Amino acid sequence: MAAVAMEVDDAPPLERKEARYTRKDEDFERRVQRYKGQQYSHLYYCRLHKLRGALSSLVQSGFPGVPVCPILGLEDGKRCVVIGTIYKQMKLKPSILDEYAKERSKLPLATASNFMHPDDYLVLEDESGRVKLVGSVVVPSNYVTGIVIAACGAAGKDGDFFVQEIIEPGLPPQPPLPSITEDKYVAFISGLRIGSDHCDPLQLQLLVDHLTGHLGDEQEQMLSAQVIRLIVAGNSLDMQYNLLAGQAISAKDQARLTEPVKELDLVLTQIAAAMPVDIMPGANDPANFTLPQQSLHKCLFPGASAYCTFLPATNPHRFELDGIEFLGTSGQNVDDLDKYSEAKDVLELMERTLRWRHIAPTAPDTLGCYPYTDKDPFVLDRCPHVYFCGNQRSCMSRLLTVEGKSVRAISIPRFCDSGTAVLVNLRTLDYHLLTLSTSALLDA
Amino acid sequence: MADSSSEAGIIEQLRALVSDLSLMVSYKWLSRKFFISSNVAKRLLYKFVEKYGDGLEVLYSVSGWTQSQPRSYSVKVVKLSQLEGAKALLAEGSSVHIYSIQASVPRDPALVWSPDNVQAEEFFNQPLDAVNCLRDNRFSGVSCSLVKRDHKGTVSSSAPASEKASLPQGLPPKPALMKNETSIAAKASNGETSNPSGSSKQANSTRGDKGNVSAGTVKQENGEGRRDANKRKEGSATAQGSSIANLWGRPSNNSKASPPKNGSPQKQLPGNADACINALEEHENGGSSDDDISNFRRLRRGGQKRRVVLDDEVSEHKEEEAASEEKEEEEEEEVISLISPEKKIEETKHEDKASNSNSRSGDDKRMDPKKKRKVLRTRIDERGREVTEVVWDTEEPESSKIEEIEKVKAPNKTAAPPPPPPASKHPASKASTSKASTKPSSKPGKKAACGPQQGSITSFFKKK
């Protein structure tokens, strides 16, 4: 068959819009860190030190004249402010020691989804000591271990600190929102889970075709041309880790193990050939376990890594597009918060992390984290304009306006379950969904 | 018009494919098969269905804004029967086009996807330097000028034949380096011209990328060069007389030159990459002094040249005081120090020679049958120990540092400059002892202080 290259298009292809991209992952990359056997006290110290600075100024303005005391220097009945890290004593929190206890407790060892209990209480700890926080203001279900707060109140005779008010660090300073004249969209997807049984390859192919400009008529392709970047927020792979049993892997198993990666590479090649794409590792991806997860290695993607538009990113991922700051994770931080505290929805948890100025406060207590000695990379210095979180059950988004700062918080749904991607408009910080469906095929 | 006739031709072929072979033809499959853009493929499918659509089932793609909140753009693949229903759910201005045609629609979406995937995998598995419609997205409706593909940065297991041919063997290093760069630049321009959506801006930035890539690798090379000094020498030895140009030029060349050392292609590359890296780094270091380059060249060109150098060593050594064995042992290093004025290189050369001679002793033995032979000689040194050494069989009873086996038979007696006693047999300590032996004057004092101990262990620690 003669292959004839025909240029019968009525119009030349549309030009995809572009935006200035700056990657800001330096804090999350672990380049020069060397593990020398250190423990986590340095991390907590750095966190306390940094957030204490923010809290001090708030305390001075909010409670003028009230002294800030170290915990060991508390005097009975004297009104003062203490600043420290919260530790939440939880009855149901799984402890590794329980597994080795001679007497198994009545409580089952099975993992529950939420470990809250009415008997949980909060303890505030600073460099000198700890003190239990009591008072009606203190609602333990709203707090988790690892956050730094200031508590104003007085020490009681029994050694507890009766809290009148809790002060959180609040949202960090936010750079001004630049004005953008034309509509440009950033697309977010997460939870592709290529390789799992219930991942629909046709659905993913529809997404790729839509984003790369194959699908649809000219109007639809104009929409695709406005999408300037795709962010894949974790859990792109569902590899069969049970094959890695420690024995030699047979050739057949090897093929089964690597097939999802090749499939993902093919998908990413198609996307990278058309637009810039960032891929973040997730909880189930072949990356390290502790946060911050390092970027997926480019040897996994021989096809896609040839493109300059392909960017493996860390988790959490921070970047700037045309002056708009984005920050987000693949969902591990929020999922962990969900286990140890209570909130209306995912967005409220995300809002709390912004108020606490810390993306993952439960690290390293219940969330794996690298023992940094010189910094805590999860402390927020600047408030992002768009704050996203991947691998959630459904897509929700709110424009949080707090203290004059506005943040578009988005939870990105799992694509394998929902077939939905989220697009954020850079001009308005508005969002809309992109749903792809092949369910009609299953109907009669 | 030519277009419509070729369109008709395609439609006819399509008819054959679908009816005779019962293939499932999607618009994307069609576009990649017949090299037409996706939009044209959709139109063709529409015409086809109008003409020959009887008996075929058609899948449509319906996309548009939904009327529900939150605002959502929906893309659905539906059958003909569901088409109207799907359109009704969407707001005005929804778009419909044919997704695929087939004899019968399968229930499993993966089966609809699979022919496209097979075709895509074929394109994907082509050699990395081939540019095809999958890799440059040429048939889509949207083009992006940011996209640049640089396959050189990726690890490829099969080096293209053209690269090998472009770099002839035996060239002196500098012209070879320049040739290398021009070949890379030529390839960059080839890559660009074959990309239909290339623009001048793209061309410049690709070259910029190449420059960045090479700058990046050069920086990396500098860091690694020191540590991999040994590997460099090994690479040179096993290259069997090939010049530095080959070390640089292509990893595949090295792989051919050193088959016994390297197994799979994947393993080859790191070692040879290191050789290339070190060759480049060495070139940069040696660029300051021509002596060094000539020395490297001499030392590199296999055993033959090396023998020449050693001959010089021998003759030069005669001129020096030849009293102690220590001097004899350090002979090789001293001579090298005479040849290469820079001390840093001298020290690395110590290590090179030390460890290389360890690894290459067999080769050397084979390579110089006429000039020198290695023989085992046992003698008693000044400190009363029986030392079995492997020495070059020449007029000068030089001793190399290779495989010195010491047996401490008697305690240390004299304070005369003893030979650096490599108490352990580690090459590392040999290297360090060789370094230490370049300063013979300081040695006697230290040795005297050591005194009548069982010299071996403490001196081992001291030498560190």
Side-chain angles (χ1 to χ4, degrees):
Chain A
M1 295 176 197
V4 178
M6 300 198 305
E7 294 290 303
V8 290
D9 282 321
D10 306 332
L14 301 160
E15 272 290 324
R16 190 176 290 277
K17 301 241 173 94
E18 291 173 18
R20 211 178 44 249
Y21 175 80
T22 322
R23 185 176 170 192
K24 292 186 162 184
D25 279 339
E26 309 84 27
D27 283 340
F28 302 125
E29 284 173 351
R30 213 176 291 162
R31 276 166 302 188
V32 294
Q33 299 283 342
R34 285 191 59 205
Y35 180 65
K36 300 188 248 318
Q38 68 266 25
Q39 298 197 5
Y40 290 110
S41 56
H42 304 278
L43 188 71
Y44 277 118
Y45 177 73
C46 292
R47 188 184 297 183
L48 179 60
H49 189 66
K50 229 173 170 180
L51 291 175
R52 194 210 297 269
L55 279 169
S56 303
S57 49
L58 274 179
V59 160
Q60 274 169 9
S61 55
F63 299 91
V66 182
V68 177
C69 295
I71 287 179
L72 279 185
L74 283 177
E75 294 165 13
D76 285 353
K78 184 167 160 219
R79 187 161 180 251
C80 58
V81 169
V82 283
I83 302 179
T85 315
I86 290 271
Y87 176 77
K88 185 161 152 184
Q89 176 63 36
M90 297 181 80
K91 201 166 174 174
L92 294 178
K93 184 166 134 187
S95 159
I96 189 73
L97 299 174
D98 290 342
E99 294 183 34
Y100 292 94
K102 291 214 173 80
E103 264 182 37
R104 291 291 172 91
S105 62
K106 290 189 215 120
L107 305 166
L109 281 176
T111 51
S113 57
N114 191 294
F115 298 106
M116 301 206 23
H117 194 273
D119 288 345
D120 298 337
Y121 58 89
L122 296 182
V123 173
L124 190 70
E125 180 178 320
D126 69 1
E127 299 100 326
S128 58
R130 352 164 87 196
V131 67
K132 183 172 169 187
L133 297 179
V134 293
S136 56
V137 174
V138 179
V139 181
S141 57
N142 291 346
Y143 301 97
V144 285
T145 302
I147 59 177
V148 177
I149 54 151
C152 177
K157 287 205 184 57
D158 49 359
D160 294 343
F161 190 84
F162 185 81
V163 178
Q164 287 158 0
E165 196 174 332
I166 290 187
I167 306 114
E168 293 167 338
L171 265 65
Q174 191 182 53
L177 185 68
S179 66
I180 295 178
T181 45
E182 39 181 18
D183 281 339
K184 291 184 196 173
Y185 292 89
V186 178
F188 294 93
I189 53 173
S190 78
L192 297 175
R193 299 193 61 189
I194 295 179
S196 80
D197 292 333
H198 63 276
C199 155
D200 186 358
L202 183 61
Q203 214 176 30
L204 183 56
Q205 191 60 49
L206 284 177
L207 175 76
V208 172
D209 286 347
H210 174 84
L211 288 175
T212 53
H214 286 282
L215 205 64
D217 62 352
E218 178 156 329
Q219 265 193 330
E220 183 170 337
Q221 288 174 356
M222 270 197 329
L223 280 180
S224 324
Q226 289 175 335
V227 181
I228 55 166
R229 198 163 199 104
L230 174 68
I231 314 289
V232 184
N235 282 356
S236 323
L237 282 174
D238 198 34
M239 295 179 64
Q240 292 192 4
Y241 294 113
N242 55 359
L243 291 174
L244 301 170
Q247 304 148 0
I249 307 176
S250 69
K252 192 167 67 108
D253 282 349
Q254 261 189 7
R256 267 202 289 165
L257 202 60
T258 56
E259 229 171 73
V261 185
K262 289 192 194 147
E263 218 177 293
L264 179 62
D265 192 19
L266 179 57
V267 166
L268 287 174
T269 306
Q270 292 176 55
I271 301 178
M275 59 192 284
V277 58
D278 291 1
I279 177 162
M280 295 163 58
N284 292 338
D285 285 335
N288 56 307
F289 168 73
T290 54
L291 289 187
Q293 280 183 300
Q294 301 301 291
S295 40
L296 293 166
H297 201 279
K298 67 175 191 172
C299 71
L300 291 170
F301 309 113
S305 49
Y307 292 89
C308 67
T309 44
F310 175 72
L311 184 77
T314 56
N315 169 31
H317 187 29
R318 183 191 282 139
F319 58 96
E320 195 185 283
L321 270 173
D322 269 355
I324 298 183
E325 297 232 350
F326 288 74
L327 173 66
T329 63
S330 300
Q332 291 115 314
N333 57 335
V334 169
D335 290 342
D336 206 54
L337 281 180
D338 200 30
K339 277 195 232 168
Y340 298 100
S341 65
E342 201 173 53
K344 208 169 54 190
D345 51 24
V346 170
L347 294 177
E348 189 173 337
L349 289 171
M350 291 168 73
E351 189 180 338
R352 283 186 195 161
T353 61
L354 287 176
R355 283 187 199 275
W356 295 330
R357 278 202 207 184
H358 199 279
I359 312 174
T362 50
D365 187 43
T366 43
L367 190 59
C369 176
Y370 180 82
Y372 286 93
T373 50
D374 52 352
K375 63 176 178 182
D376 183 346
F378 303 116
V379 174
L380 290 177
D381 290 328
R382 295 148 69 91
C383 188
H385 296 112
V386 179
Y387 185 42
F388 62 92
C389 169
N391 291 295
Q392 298 306 308
R393 215 171 29 195
S394 61
C395 173
M396 280 188 288
S397 179
R398 257 205 302 271
L399 193 67
L400 307 168
T401 36
V402 175
E403 304 158 21
K405 302 158 190 146
S406 65
V407 184
R408 164 64 65 187
I410 317 168
S411 73
I412 306 166
R414 289 183 278 261
F415 189 80
C416 61
D417 296 332
S418 63
T420 309
V422 183
L423 277 79
V424 175
N425 188 343
L426 291 187
R427 185 175 63 88
T428 59
L429 285 192
D430 206 0
Y431 79 106
H432 70 263
L433 303 176
L434 172 66
T435 47
L436 303 119
S437 163
T438 58
S439 54
L441 289 175
L442 299 169
D443 299 340
Chain B
M1 274 188 59
D3 294 331
S4 57
S5 64
S6 36
E7 278 191 20
I10 292 181
I11 290 184
E12 286 305 316
Q13 290 172 23
L14 202 56
R15 189 165 160 226
L17 286 169
V18 178
S19 53
D20 299 343
L21 298 174
S22 303
L23 279 185
M24 186 179 307
V25 176
S26 72
Y27 74 96
K28 209 148 135 232
W29 188 93
L30 191 66
S31 98
R32 287 182 176 160
K33 180 87 179 163
F34 294 102
F35 302 96
I36 48 179
S37 80
S38 307
N39 295 332
V40 171
K42 292 169 205 162
R43 274 209 300 274
L44 277 180
L45 274 182
Y46 186 65
K47 287 186 188 167
F48 180 85
V49 168
E50 277 188 333
K51 248 176 122 173
Y52 302 111
D54 299 335
L56 290 176
E57 292 197 10
V58 185
L59 276 179
Y60 295 89
S61 148
V62 183
S63 34
W65 293 99
T66 58
Q67 295 165 0
S68 58
Q69 283 295 326
R71 199 153 170 261
S72 131
Y73 193 85
S74 154
V75 175
K76 260 188 173 176
V77 172
V78 293
K79 295 185 249 193
L80 179 60
S81 50
Q82 302 151 327
L83 183 57
E84 293 306 316
K87 270 166 73 173
L89 287 174
L90 302 173
E92 292 282 327
S94 56
S95 80
V96 177
H97 69 86
I98 296 181
Y99 186 81
S100 69
I101 52 177
Q102 49 271 316
S104 70
V105 173
R107 279 185 62 101
D108 185 7
L111 291 175
V112 177
W113 161 81
S114 136
D116 285 355
N117 187 48
V118 168
Q119 187 192 46
E121 277 184 352
E122 270 173 30
F123 284 118
F124 185 66
N125 290 331
Q126 285 180 2
L128 283 174
D129 55 346
V131 183
N132 53 38
C133 59
L134 178 83
R135 290 190 178 147
D136 59 8
N137 203 38
R138 60 180 77 152
F139 295 132
S140 96
V142 179
S143 77
C144 180
S145 57
L146 283 178
V147 176
K148 287 166 202 72
R149 185 166 179 273
D150 169 24
H151 68 274
K152 282 216 183 342
T154 60
V155 174
S156 87
S157 54
S158 57
S162 58
E163 289 182 348
K164 284 180 219 162
S166 70
L167 212 52
Q169 306 209 1
L171 277 182
K174 279 178 185 156
L177 176 61
M178 291 191 294
K179 205 164 188 153
N180 195 7
E181 284 177 347
T182 51
S183 67
I184 289 178
K187 232 170 277 319
S189 53
N190 283 342
E192 291 161 14
T193 50
S194 63
N195 188 346
S197 59
S199 62
S200 64
K201 173 180 100 174
Q202 195 175 356
N204 291 336
S205 20
T206 310
R207 283 215 187 84
D209 279 349
K210 289 270 182 306
N212 289 339
V213 164
S214 52
T217 48
V218 165
K219 282 197 197 89
Q220 188 189 13
E221 289 152 21
N222 279 331
E224 286 182 344
R226 304 247 176 274
R227 277 171 277 145
D228 297 331
N230 298 335
K231 274 198 206 157
R232 158 183 63 180
K233 281 291 189 168
E234 283 184 349
S236 68
T238 50
Q240 292 178 14
S242 54
S243 72
I244 303 176
N246 282 342
L247 286 174
W248 254 312
R250 292 286 163 254
S252 55
N253 270 348
N254 257 346
S255 71
K256 288 227 159 154
S258 53
K261 188 168 80 128
N262 301 317
S264 69
Q266 299 305 108
K267 275 188 241 153
Q268 272 170 5
L269 275 163
N272 292 326
D274 280 342
C276 296
I277 285 169
N278 297 322
L280 259 178
E281 184 257 353
E282 182 188 67
H283 172 74
E284 287 170 13
N285 280 339
S288 54
S289 119
D290 286 336
D291 280 349
D292 289 338
I293 292 181
S294 57
N295 293 334
F296 292 152
R297 236 184 271 165
R298 276 197 286 162
L299 292 165
R300 278 294 167 80
R301 298 248 169 98
Q304 302 244 325
K305 297 290 181 176
R306 187 169 177 275
R307 265 177 275 137
V308 171
V309 170
L310 284 170
D311 281 340
D312 290 341
E313 289 176 21
V314 174
S315 56
E316 283 163 351
H317 180 68
K318 276 183 194 163
E319 300 163 15
E320 301 173 6
E321 39 173 338
S324 61
E325 288 164 25
E326 184 182 27
K327 286 280 183 174
E328 288 162 359
E329 284 167 354
E330 36 172 322
E331 176 187 22
E332 287 188 342
E333 300 89 64
E334 276 190 355
V335 170
I336 295 168
S337 69
L338 287 170
I339 295 173
S340 55
E342 296 180 23
K343 207 175 173 210
K344 217 199 296 185
I345 302 178
E346 163 198 334
E347 286 182 357
T348 55
K349 273 204 158 307
H350 293 322
E351 290 168 358
D352 292 346
K353 284 207 152 250
S355 38
N356 269 326
S357 10
N358 282 330
S359 53
R360 284 189 301 152
S361 53
D363 288 345
D364 292 341
K365 274 190 183 135
R366 281 193 301 273
M367 281 199 270
D368 41 27
K370 38 185 174 146
K371 298 270 178 169
K372 297 186 214 295
R373 274 198 318 276
K374 281 195 191 167
V375 284
L376 275 172
R377 274 208 199 137
T378 310
R379 53 187 172 77
I380 310 288
D381 66 10
E382 305 94 12
R383 294 171 65 184
R385 293 169 295 182
E386 188 182 318
V387 178
T388 309
E389 293 165 345
V390 176
V391 299
W392 294 108
D393 185 17
T394 60
E395 311 151 29
E396 290 291 330
E398 14 170 307
S399 61
S400 70
K401 295 176 310 306
I402 309 164
E403 297 152 47
E404 278 191 8
I405 309 158
E406 271 191 2
K407 299 170 201 167
V408 179
K409 289 230 159 151
N412 189 4
K413 281 188 230 154
T414 64
S424 80
K425 296 166 190 127
H426 295 293
S429 71
K430 283 204 179 65
S432 57
T433 55
S434 68
K435 259 196 223 170
S437 62
T438 55
K439 304 173 180 89
S441 51
S442 60
K443 273 298 147 259
K446 281 192 189 160
K447 282 298 146 206
C450 173
Q453 296 170 3
Q454 290 191 6
S456 42
I457 294 193
T458 51
S459 50
F460 163 66
F461 283 118
K462 258 199 207 166
K463 286 296 184 288
K464 270 193 157 175

